[in-house]
Amino acid sequence: QVQLVESGGGLVQAGGSLRLSCAASGRTFSSYVRGWFRQAPGKEREFIAAIHWNGGDRRYADPVKGRFTISRDNGKNTVYLQMNSLKPEDTAVYYCAAGSTQWIVVDPNGYDYWGQGTQVTVSS
C-alpha cells in the first residue's frame, strides 16, 4: 500500500520556522516530481513548492519565495519543506504529493499520490 505521511507541523509564532517532512512507503518515488500544497479554511488547495526527481529543478509559489525551501532525499524516499519567517497567512493544512509527470506542474490534478496533511498554525 502506497502511503505518504507528513510530519513536522505545529504551532509557531510569526517569524519562526518549521520543517515539514513527507516520508513515502509502498513504492519508490525517486523518479517522481514531489510537491507541497496547502489549504486554508474556506480556500482552495494551493501550490506551494515542487522539486523535480533529480533535484535540479525547483519551483515556488510567489507568497513563499525566499522563505520556503524544498529538498528531497531519494535514498530515504522523503521530501522536506523548510519554512522560515513564517507569517499568520501561512496557517493551513499542508499536504505533500507525488506525481509521475515528466516536468513540474502546479495543478493538484497533476499529482497521483497525496498525504493526509499536517496542520501548521502561525500565531501573530
Side-chain angles (χ1 to χ4, degrees):
Q1 181 180 358
V2 176
Q3 279 191 317
L4 300 179
V5 180
E6 302 94 338
S7 61
L11 174 64
V12 64
Q13 288 188 334
S17 298
L18 284 173
R19 188 191 192 210
L20 304 184
S21 299
C22 175
S25 61
R27 69 164 299 149
T28 299
F29 287 97
S30 58
S31 62
Y32 277 58
V33 170
R34 303 290 295 275
W36 287 96
F37 292 74
R38 69 186 181 189
Q39 188 166 17
K43 295 187 177 182
E44 293 186 350
R45 190 169 298 189
E46 64 171 341
F47 170 81
I48 295 300
I51 185 168
H52 195 263
W53 65 269
N54 64 10
D57 185 20
R58 309 179 193 201
R59 191 175 301 180
Y60 299 93
D62 287 343
V64 307
K65 281 181 181 177
R67 299 189 297 122
F68 291 11
T69 302
I70 188 171
S71 60
R72 65 189 296 165
D73 185 334
N74 287 337
K76 294 182 178 179
N77 225 8
T78 299
V79 64
Y80 306 96
L81 185 68
Q82 178 67 43
M83 305 186 295
N84 299 329
S85 302
L86 283 162
K87 305 175 181 180
E89 51 263 44
D90 294 319
T91 295
V93 177
Y94 283 69
Y95 298 89
C96 71
S100 58
T101 58
Q102 185 177 6
W103 309 109
I104 288 177
V105 296
V106 301
D107 185 345
N109 293 320
Y111 292 80
D112 306 295
Y113 300 97
W114 290 87
Q116 292 301 306
T118 184
Q119 177 70 46
V120 172
T121 303
V122 184
S123 64
S124 57

